[in-house]
Amino acid sequence: MTVKTILTEPNKILRQVSLPVEKVGNEERRLMDDMLETMYDAKGIGLAAIQIGVPKRIIVMDLSKEGEKKHPMYFVNPVIKNKNEVLSKYEEGCLSVPNQFIEVNRPSMCEVEYLDYNGEKKNIKCDNLLATCIQHEIDHLEGITILTYVSKLKRSMIEKKLSKTKANEDRVVL
Ligand code: NI
């Protein structure tokens, strides 16, 4: 397993719409392993393949708390089948939008159809943090990040800030 570099806003690759996976094979499983390792390393709870530059409809998540047994989840070609009309508000963070927390309203419950790590067709009913997280990750597959949910002005301010941070990281410090 390899820890990959996570792309951050305003990287245009994050705008790409990811493509469906035809078959869950060893290559896809290796990708999922790397994604999970990358997510754990960055202390995130969810990661979409496009965040490491791979435009495939694959998501990994683990909502277990620190100190609890790890509970990795893998979603290939996830599709939201049902969602309720009641919205819930959550201050979301994103590994591709470091140090920013943005309030997003999403359906508080949803049902998702997907293929698992072994390519088997599965269905999961989600609520609370699971519903928020899976919808956030499915957004990534459509090229959407949480910056879509803020005003244009706020978005450009955040993007400017993030670009600057990145520039500093590249500088050689003696
Ligand atoms: Ni994210």
Side-chain angles (χ1 to χ4, degrees):
M1 286 193 253
T2 320
V3 172
K4 304 282 186 182
T5 304
I6 297 174
L7 306 178
T8 54
E9 288 280 17
N11 193 316
K12 289 208 164 50
I13 293 172
L14 293 166
R15 300 281 91 69
Q16 274 186 42
V17 176
S18 297
L19 299 170
V21 173
E22 280 179 28
K23 190 176 164 278
V24 183
N26 288 335
E27 193 189 318
E28 285 71 26
R29 276 186 280 273
R30 203 172 307 127
L31 172 62
M32 288 190 260
D33 293 344
D34 287 347
M35 286 169 64
L36 196 73
E37 193 73 4
T38 304
M39 184 190 80
Y40 285 147
D41 180 70
K43 297 190 173 6
I45 59 169
L47 189 79
I50 193 65
Q51 292 180 272
I52 57 165
V54 182
K56 288 185 177 180
R57 301 187 81 84
I58 297 179
I59 289 165
V60 297
M61 287 169 30
D62 189 336
L63 304 188
S64 64
K65 297 196 181 72
E66 228 181 303
E68 283 179 6
K69 193 172 176 278
K70 283 194 170 28
H71 180 61
M73 293 187 273
Y74 308 90
F75 302 93
V76 180
N77 299 342
V79 177
I80 298 175
K81 284 293 169 187
N82 280 304
K83 48 189 174 190
N84 68 343
E85 282 163 24
V86 182
L87 301 181
S88 76
K89 202 189 281 175
Y90 192 83
E91 254 200 6
E92 298 182 15
C94 178
L95 294 175
S96 293
V97 191
N99 306 317
Q100 303 294 322
F101 292 89
I102 289 157
E103 216 168 68
V104 185
N105 285 300
R106 302 184 188 274
S108 63
M109 286 191 277
C110 64
E111 205 175 326
V112 176
E113 223 173 70
Y114 64 100
L115 302 175
D116 69 7
Y117 191 82
N118 297 308
E120 277 173 47
K121 205 169 173 176
K122 292 273 170 69
N123 192 290
I124 188 171
K125 286 199 172 94
C126 309
D127 61 7
N128 299 319
L129 186 57
L130 180 59
T132 296
C133 190
I134 202 161
Q135 291 176 81
H136 171 119
E137 301 310 330
I138 291 173
D139 268 0
H140 276 299
L141 306 183
E142 298 301 325
I144 294 168
T145 71
I146 48 175
L147 291 188
T148 306
Y149 299 100
V150 299
S151 68
K152 266 199 178 140
L153 180 66
K154 193 171 177 194
R155 180 177 186 141
S156 66
M157 277 165 56
I158 293 173
E159 285 184 348
K160 211 180 274 175
K161 203 163 151 190
L162 293 177
S163 311
K164 238 183 244 163
T165 319
K166 217 175 162 202
N168 283 339
E169 270 173 19
D170 293 338
R171 279 176 60 179
V172 179
V173 181
L174 298 174

